[in-house]
Amino acid sequence: VIIVGDSNYRPTYHFTPEKNWMNDPNGMVYYKGEYHLFFQYNPDDNVWGPMHWGHAVSEDLVNWEELPVALYPDDLGNIFSGSAVVDEHNTAGFKTGNEDVLVAIFTHQNPETKEQYQSLAYSNDMGRSWEKYGENPVLINEDKDDFRDPKVIWHEETQQWVMVVAAGQEILFYSSPDLKEWKYLQSFGHGMGAHGGVWECPDLFTVRNENGQEQWALLVSINPGAPNGGSGTQYFLGAFDGETFQTSQTETKWLDYGTDNYAGVTWSNEPNDRNLFIGWMSNWEYAQDVPTTAWRSAMTLPRTLELSDSGDLLLSKPAEEISSVLASHNVEFNASEVEIQDNPVLKSGTFQIRTTLDLSEEKSVELFWGNGTSGVSIHFDKTTSEILIDRSDAGYNFKNMNNNDLVVPYILPESNELELEIWVDKSSVEVFVNGGERVITFLIFPNTPFDDFKIRSNSGEEFVRSLSILPVSKD
Ligand code: FRU
């Protein structure tokens, strides 16, 4: 028996810090060939503690180089979540050299009073070293205990910076010409969306579809209150004119129906004009208990967020660069059942499964991978329009979760096709359904390798139209 240990839980093509605790992605910004990823980091322990900004860079979104800690706690407090921008026109006046200046806008949290306020830091050497602004904080709000996670964007039409920042169960909007002086614009959230917990880590950006339709998207993370328990991310589609965000959306929409995608936001200054997103692949209910010791937590795959053709959904797709780590291509076939055993690709724990299922004649189908005693099952029930995921026998009992069963509402399109793209990386699973109409991200901690695989249904029809199980390997 091969026992899968701690080191085998570390993902290979997802970002993890070399050691210790990580939560939210922060300050994602692209500058001169480098995707910067900062993150909530405790360099001294593998549980949450005094927060710093850890730092990593990547040229290809697959290989990450961890750099020294970028921001340390100071007299004003610990360094909570926030964003970063390239201040191309030097609006804040922090530029000293030839490089454009990068400015980070983050929350300081006073560990004694718990007060939270927004501050600045800047870098004139491509993000390698950071200086805090001498007149921090730049934005305080006396009536709010929870006032954090500023995300700043440049609003082209009005030629100003716009900040969205979480306050209790609302998102506050501010504008600024120079990142230092902020003018209050509006509060959003009262009577809108899910309110099962505190609102955190907002993001604001435009999305377009192929019909030329454009919408503004507002992401809001919420803890607890996610559809499958604990922390999760909802979104609103609407209009924003530089002053007011408005939406006619009445139902709550979730960016990811899995348990493990939180506090995600998009990159600033993305060179290909994509909404490039990354989230923290864990859940506050159990993040500090999961069975890894040297390091704790990984980020999701980088994903692009797009507007669906129907104009009412945010689609999530793995960033194109990720496909570069696949070894081979799709296999066409017809089968009424698939059963694979002792498969070396599955055994490696890092693979991608892609399958197209024709559900015209089926009531329900099940996809399973695991071994004799444990595994993960993904079940689609056409009669109830639900995807059911069972990870109760996937090696670990996640605290405070509903039997570790995930329930995801999903109505099959008229084609009756269910296309699943499943990315597994040792201890994480990301399921993309029908081109990103649903995403379900969740953790597993197998005790022994999962090297068997099955797809089956009740009908005996040939419903499996394509299947590939591909190794994922980086160079
Ligand atoms: C979200 C969050 C943020 C906060 C940070 C602290 O996970 O609670 O609201 O800034 O984590 O680490």
Side-chain angles (χ1 to χ4, degrees):
V1 186
I2 303 167
I3 301 295
V4 178
D6 189 21
S7 62
N8 286 331
Y9 291 143
R10 190 192 284 274
T12 60
Y13 58 96
H14 288 74
F15 177 72
T16 54
E18 189 52 39
K19 52 184 196 316
N20 288 320
W21 169 267
M22 171 176 82
N23 55 290
D24 316 355
N26 294 149
M28 288 110 79
V29 62
Y30 175 90
Y31 183 63
K32 286 201 177 165
E34 292 181 322
Y35 287 93
H36 291 266
L37 169 65
F38 301 88
F39 47 90
Q40 286 289 281
Y41 188 50
N42 181 1
D44 300 314
D45 207 344
N46 65 0
V47 289
W48 192 83
M51 283 291 112
H52 299 55
W53 273 25
H55 189 192
V57 288
S58 175
E59 289 174 8
D60 59 8
L61 298 171
V62 175
N63 295 285
W64 292 95
E65 183 194 353
E66 193 172 346
L67 298 176
V69 166
L71 298 176
Y72 284 83
D74 57 40
D75 292 349
L76 289 170
N78 297 320
I79 316 296
F80 273 19
S81 287
S83 51
V85 296
V86 178
D87 188 7
E88 211 183 308
H89 303 297
N90 195 25
T91 62
F94 294 144
K95 182 172 162 145
T96 56
N98 294 327
E99 293 297 338
D100 283 341
V101 59
L102 307 187
V103 181
I105 308 96
F106 61 91
T107 300
H108 258 126
Q109 184 243 22
N110 181 317
E112 274 94 52
T113 65
K114 309 287 180 224
E115 269 172 283
Q116 300 175 351
Y117 20 72
Q118 319 317 324
S119 291
L120 306 178
Y122 53 91
S123 169
N124 277 295
D125 58 359
M126 299 181 65
R128 292 314 185 268
S129 67
W130 291 81
E131 195 83 44
K132 304 236 181 64
Y133 175 43
E135 290 175 45
N136 280 338
V138 294
L139 182 60
I140 54 174
N141 178 343
E142 271 144 19
D143 351 306
K144 295 283 175 200
D145 301 340
D146 290 311
F147 182 48
R148 59 177 176 268
D149 312 337
K151 169 77 187 209
V152 173
I153 60 166
W154 177 252
H155 190 257
E156 194 57 40
E157 290 72 31
T158 56
Q159 293 287 300
Q160 59 179 351
W161 300 103
V162 169
M163 178 198 290
V164 282
V165 56
Q169 293 192 12
E170 289 161 52
I171 301 302
L172 305 185
F173 287 64
Y174 293 84
S175 67
S176 170
D178 61 2
L179 299 167
K180 294 171 174 166
E181 295 287 325
W182 291 95
K183 175 181 150 210
Y184 173 76
L185 298 174
Q186 80 161 137
S187 149
F188 172 85
H190 187 72
M192 311 292 293
H195 284 273
V198 68
W199 284 20
E200 302 182 315
C201 299
D203 194 3
L204 181 69
F205 51 88
T206 53
V207 276
R208 276 164 295 271
N209 63 17
E210 305 211 323
N211 311 330
Q213 200 183 353
E214 184 180 281
Q215 300 250 50
W216 282 83
L218 177 67
L219 303 188
V220 178
S221 281
I222 168 172
N223 177 40
N228 281 299
S231 40
T233 303
Q234 59 180 325
Y235 65 89
F236 301 89
L237 295 174
F240 178 66
D241 60 2
E243 294 260 323
T244 328
F245 177 81
Q246 280 172 315
T247 177
S248 50
Q249 183 178 314
T250 48
E251 69 189 292
T252 302
K253 300 189 182 202
W254 298 100
L255 191 69
D256 193 313
Y257 275 83
T259 41
D260 299 284
N261 177 5
Y262 193 61
V265 290
T266 59
W267 256 272
S268 185
N269 202 39
E270 208 284 324
N272 305 303
D273 208 19
R274 300 178 289 185
N275 297 303
L276 184 67
F277 167 98
I278 206 165
W280 173 47
M281 200 153 51
S282 199
N283 190 307
W284 277 117
E285 294 294 332
Y286 49 70
Q288 304 187 81
D289 302 317
V290 296
T292 66
T293 49
W295 54 284
R296 256 211 195 105
S297 301
M299 294 302 177
T300 65
L301 282 179
R303 304 169 181 184
T304 53
L305 306 184
E306 294 163 27
L307 187 63
S308 64
D309 285 342
S310 56
D312 62 352
L313 269 188
L314 269 189
L315 306 180
S316 296
K317 301 179 181 174
E320 238 172 58
E321 288 86 335
I322 305 305
S323 312
S324 71
V325 296
L326 287 183
S328 155
H329 57 274
N330 227 5
V331 189
E332 296 294 319
F333 70 95
N334 270 317
S336 56
E337 186 169 314
V338 177
E339 202 159 337
I340 298 169
Q341 271 167 358
D342 300 325
N343 182 285
V345 175
L346 293 170
K347 193 172 210 148
S348 74
T350 62
F351 52 89
Q352 186 224 47
I353 301 171
R354 255 192 304 166
T355 187
T356 311
L357 309 177
D358 177 350
L359 305 191
S360 311
E361 307 297 327
E362 313 302 320
K363 287 204 178 61
S364 75
V365 289
E366 191 196 4
L367 182 154
F368 170 90
W369 79 102
N371 54 33
T373 52
S374 67
V376 178
S377 83
I378 301 179
H379 188 106
F380 179 69
D381 189 330
K382 204 168 133 185
T383 53
T384 56
S385 292
E386 277 174 341
I387 301 166
L388 304 167
I389 294 185
D390 182 352
R391 61 165 180 172
S392 62
D393 274 324
Y396 184 71
N397 185 22
F398 293 86
K399 224 170 80 183
N400 303 333
M401 293 286 114
N402 265 340
N403 305 321
N404 293 306
D405 282 337
L406 278 53
V407 181
V408 182
Y410 184 65
I411 297 173
L412 211 58
E414 271 168 27
S415 67
N416 275 310
E417 277 199 355
L418 185 69
E419 193 190 288
L420 300 174
E421 184 176 321
I422 305 171
W423 293 81
V424 179
D425 196 359
K426 306 282 190 185
S427 54
S428 68
V429 183
E430 289 161 279
V431 183
F432 296 84
V433 181
N434 281 349
E437 290 186 355
R438 285 285 183 276
V439 199
I440 312 153
T441 305
F442 57 97
L443 299 178
I444 54 172
F445 292 98
N447 295 318
T448 54
F450 289 174
D451 54 4
D452 298 343
F453 178 83
K454 269 182 239 176
I455 302 182
R456 60 184 170 204
S457 80
N458 53 339
S459 75
E461 297 285 329
E462 294 185 340
F463 74 102
V464 182
R465 289 297 148 82
S466 72
L467 171 69
S468 62
I469 301 176
L470 303 175
V472 176
S473 58
K474 298 196 294 182
D475 24 80

